[in-house]
């Protein structure tokens, strides 16, 4: 990636939970950042963030700021992306958007580089990064689909409160402290108490009685895998963990895959770590994903309730591979492709 | 049930998490208890429990204690049931066992009264109560199976630490206190830290790479439903909640069921409460099950990834309907049948 040239980067939503992670991953991976502009909402104006030992002030978004910017990351939610991403493109920047604003837009590539980096070739200025639950899922579906064609997937998720941003993290923390001190619990970010509870809802309710997260996983998976025949149904739940999303995945394939073959295929695929030895109580755990870059997969078992079935369990850091890391990997792929 | 006659009752495992709940449910439901004998392990000997304002001492199990006992509840784990239940039967008592010792024994009825009370007619002294995750599942499967024949079920569980008894509850509590006080976490009951973590394992690992809980749900469901053609695959996980087990259930039926029909069928079935209004963020929550007797069902949606599919979410108090209550309901059914 580095050939001496550096790039002028902007980051919208710099003080958010994903924004801060993008900044730290750009640093970690020595992304060739030249000029760096940080933006956030009004209430973060004047904050200063550190990047490679330099102090970078956080400004408010306004017209004209994207001139002379090569690449802009948007991680401030869909409203901000809808308002400012097209403007950034007009001012000459390429946009990598981690929000839900453009994911299903037919003119916007939705990219997980290990799975469909070729989709980048068609971009018109905006590239979308999928939701966390989709990213970890498609990473393990891809090698299995290539080998045996996946017909149907039934997925149930176990999602962390950080999927809802820093306020979700703070709410779980505060509710537990209140309960342990015999105080009343305050409910604000989640629709119900999340401490010591399990909520079968991620994202807003849609009219078909599915949640936005459930429909999003299905649609994004089909778009990224480029196969409309692939059937997928999802049930999404938030559990009281801070970081790390897990998923229970049941897969039906056209051609039979033994558990052994699945393990081999996944072990050879990029971005995946197989942790699968039940007898030694080794399997993916949300807690162990924190700060890591891989999608962990384990509990791989043949499912004999259907002709060619496989069960498995995946977990990944929802803020890194599920968010910031995937966005930075898209940027790296763009540089490699000289797009 | 009450016709003036009372019954001599013994309770093995009286000081355990399920034992105490059995005692309190016998009281609540005014079960016609005459004499009451309480048993527990050596370390609880000498404890005294209250029953209808009387103080009842806890003794150690030994030969001869079941003479003149009509009905014995066993809730002290499989080893104790294996050792003493046959003896209790020889001494003339009927045994209701909440442990895993006899559930799959072909000569032992496995009973959820709302679903298969007729199985009680064949008992030979021991009646088994299923595991918590099976009980709540078969309750909602039964009316759907009767209406449309269930072909296949894919279930993922979200289980509470109290499934592992009082020590499981204490471990989650202690780990959270330690973490919030910057102390190291002690791991004892669960194979890994359970606070703020999600473990895709309930029960011991088996040789086929499934856990004992996963195989148990499948086998028990088939036995209770009396239909070997019903295919079921399960993935079980423990999440950091104290009480209340939840399950994400995907069902494929022979005949089509609309979401509306499913709601009607379940609303009319015994032991079930339908809580299903996603737009108003109403659905079953583990926290809301605590202290209740119903299996809550919601998130009912047609699943178009398969010809006749339905998704739904269930939750129940794992210690009451999932444990103690079902055992007491078996006892009530025995009395009604005069068995």
């Amino acid at each position: 990636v580095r050939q001496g040239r550096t790039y002028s980067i902007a980051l919208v939503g710099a003080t958010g939970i994903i924004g801060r992670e993008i900044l730290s991953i750009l640093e970690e991976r020595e992304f060739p950042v030249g000029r760096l502009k940080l933006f956030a909402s009004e209430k973060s104006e004047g904050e200063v963030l550190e990047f490679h030992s330099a102090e970078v002030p956080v400004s408010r978004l306004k017209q004209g700021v994207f001139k002379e910017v090569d690449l802009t990351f948007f991680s401030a939610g869909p409203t901000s992306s809808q308002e400012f991403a097209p403007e950034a493109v007009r001012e000459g920047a390429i946009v990598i958007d981690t929000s839900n604003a453009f994911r299903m837009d037919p003119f916007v590539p939705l990219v997980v580089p290990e799975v469909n980096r070729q989709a980048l070739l068609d971009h018109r200025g905006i590239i979308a990064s999928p939701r966390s639950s989709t990213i970890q899922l498609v990473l393990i579906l891809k090698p299995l689909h290539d080998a045996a064609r996946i017909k149907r997937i039934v997925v149930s998720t176990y999602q962390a409160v950080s999927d809802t941003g820093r306020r979700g993290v703070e709410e779980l923390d505060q509710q537990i402290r209140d309960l342990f001190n015999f105080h009343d619990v305050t409910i604000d970010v989640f629709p119900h108490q999340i401490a010591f509870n399990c909520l079968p809802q991620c994202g807003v309710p849609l009219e078909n009685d599915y949640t936005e997260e459930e429909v999003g996983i299905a649609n994004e998976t089909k778009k990224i895998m480029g196969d409309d025949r692939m059937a997928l149904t999802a049930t999404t739940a938030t559990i009281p963990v801070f970081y790390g999303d897990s998923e229970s995945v049941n897969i039906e394939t056209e051609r039979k895959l033994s558990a052994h073959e699945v393990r081999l295929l996944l072990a050879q695929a990029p971005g995946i770590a197989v942790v699968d030895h039940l007898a030694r109580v080794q399997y993916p755990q949300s807690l162990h994903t924190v700060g890591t870059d891989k999608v962990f997969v384990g509990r791989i078992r043949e499912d004999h309730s259907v002709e060619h079935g496989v069960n498995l369990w995946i977990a990944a850091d929802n803020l890194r591979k599920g968010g910031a890391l995937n966005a930075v990997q898209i940027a790296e792929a763009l540089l490699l492709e000289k797009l």
Side-chain angles (χ1 to χ4, degrees), chain A residues 17 21 43 66 89 107 190 230:
Chain A
I17 200 164
E21 204 73 31
K43 68 175 193 295
F66 298 109
V89 173
F107 299 112
F190 296 101
M230 188 183 282

Side-chain angles (χ1 to χ4, degrees), chain A residues 69-334:
Chain A
V69 166
D70 295 310
L71 204 58
T72 305
F73 295 95
F74 273 83
S75 67
T79 314
S80 150
S81 294
Q82 262 145 7
E83 193 176 343
F84 289 101
E87 191 166 315
V89 173
R90 275 193 300 275
E91 293 177 10
I94 293 179
V95 168
I96 298 170
D97 185 26
T98 69
S99 86
N100 198 29
F102 303 105
R103 284 174 182 149
M104 293 311 297
D105 185 322
F107 299 112
V108 171
L110 181 67
V111 177
V112 177
E114 296 92 333
V115 177
N116 68 335
R117 76 187 297 139
Q118 78 289 347
L120 285 173
L121 300 171
D122 300 324
H123 84 81
R124 301 177 182 197
I126 301 179
I127 296 137
S129 185
R131 71 191 63 230
S132 159
S133 44
T134 304
I135 293 174
Q136 63 185 75
L137 183 61
V138 295
L139 226 77
I140 62 108
L141 294 182
K142 171 71 172 163
L144 307 184
H145 191 53
D146 287 350
R149 197 176 94 70
I150 294 175
K151 289 160 67 178
R152 181 178 179 233
I153 304 142
V154 180
V155 60
S156 295
T157 69
Y158 301 66
Q159 298 187 225
V161 294
S162 51
D163 278 348
T164 314
R166 202 180 327 134
R167 290 175 60 230
V169 172
E170 285 163 0
E171 181 147 307
L172 172 58
D173 182 272
Q174 192 55 51
Q175 286 184 351
I176 289 177
R177 286 176 201 279
D178 285 342
L179 287 166
F180 276 39
N181 287 296
F182 306 101
H183 292 149
D184 286 341
V185 156
T186 305
I187 292 160
D188 178 20
V189 179
F190 296 101
H192 308 279
Q193 179 182 319
I194 182 62
F196 309 118
N197 200 5
C198 177
L199 300 177
Q201 184 193 352
C202 300
V204 296
L206 301 183
E207 281 181 10
N208 63 357
D209 281 340
Y210 281 81
T211 64
E212 187 259 326
E213 182 87 1
E214 288 159 354
V215 171
I217 295 175
N219 290 342
E220 292 171 22
T221 298
K222 285 175 200 172
K223 179 171 176 176
I224 296 165
M225 303 292 291
D227 187 344
D228 274 339
R229 292 177 306 165
M230 188 183 282
L232 187 152
T233 189
T235 300
T236 55
T238 305
I239 61 169
V241 307
F242 288 113
Y243 305 104
D245 283 352
S246 303
E247 300 180 19
S248 166
V249 188
N250 180 271
I251 298 170
E252 194 182 337
T253 54
E254 194 164 88
R255 190 171 80 68
K256 180 176 167 56
L257 286 178
S258 69
H260 180 68
E261 283 176 283
V262 170
R263 245 173 243 122
L264 282 182
L265 287 166
L266 294 175
Q268 291 160 1
I272 295 173
V274 177
V275 180
D276 191 22
H277 202 309
L278 180 63
R280 293 191 198 136
V281 295
Q282 289 169 1
Y283 34 71
Q285 298 173 41
S286 40
L287 197 66
H288 290 176
T289 67
V290 178
T292 67
D293 290 348
K294 301 280 188 184
V295 173
F296 296 86
V297 58
R299 296 300 326 275
I300 297 166
R301 300 149 284 162
E302 286 159 41
D303 161 20
H304 299 294
S305 77
V306 73
E307 202 187 351
H308 300 148
V310 170
N311 283 311
L312 48 81
W313 184 269
I314 56 176
D317 185 328
N318 52 319
L319 303 183
R320 288 180 69 92
K321 185 55 190 168
L325 175 61
N326 196 66
V328 174
Q329 285 176 316
I330 291 173
E332 290 173 348
L334 284 171

Side-chain angles (χ1 to χ4, degrees), chain A residues 11 14-16 19-20 23 38 47-51 54-58:
Chain A
L11 171 54
T15 58
R20 283 172 194 269
L23 212 54
L38 303 182
E47 276 189 49
V48 170
L49 297 177
E50 213 173 84
F51 185 73
E55 301 209 314
V56 187
V58 177

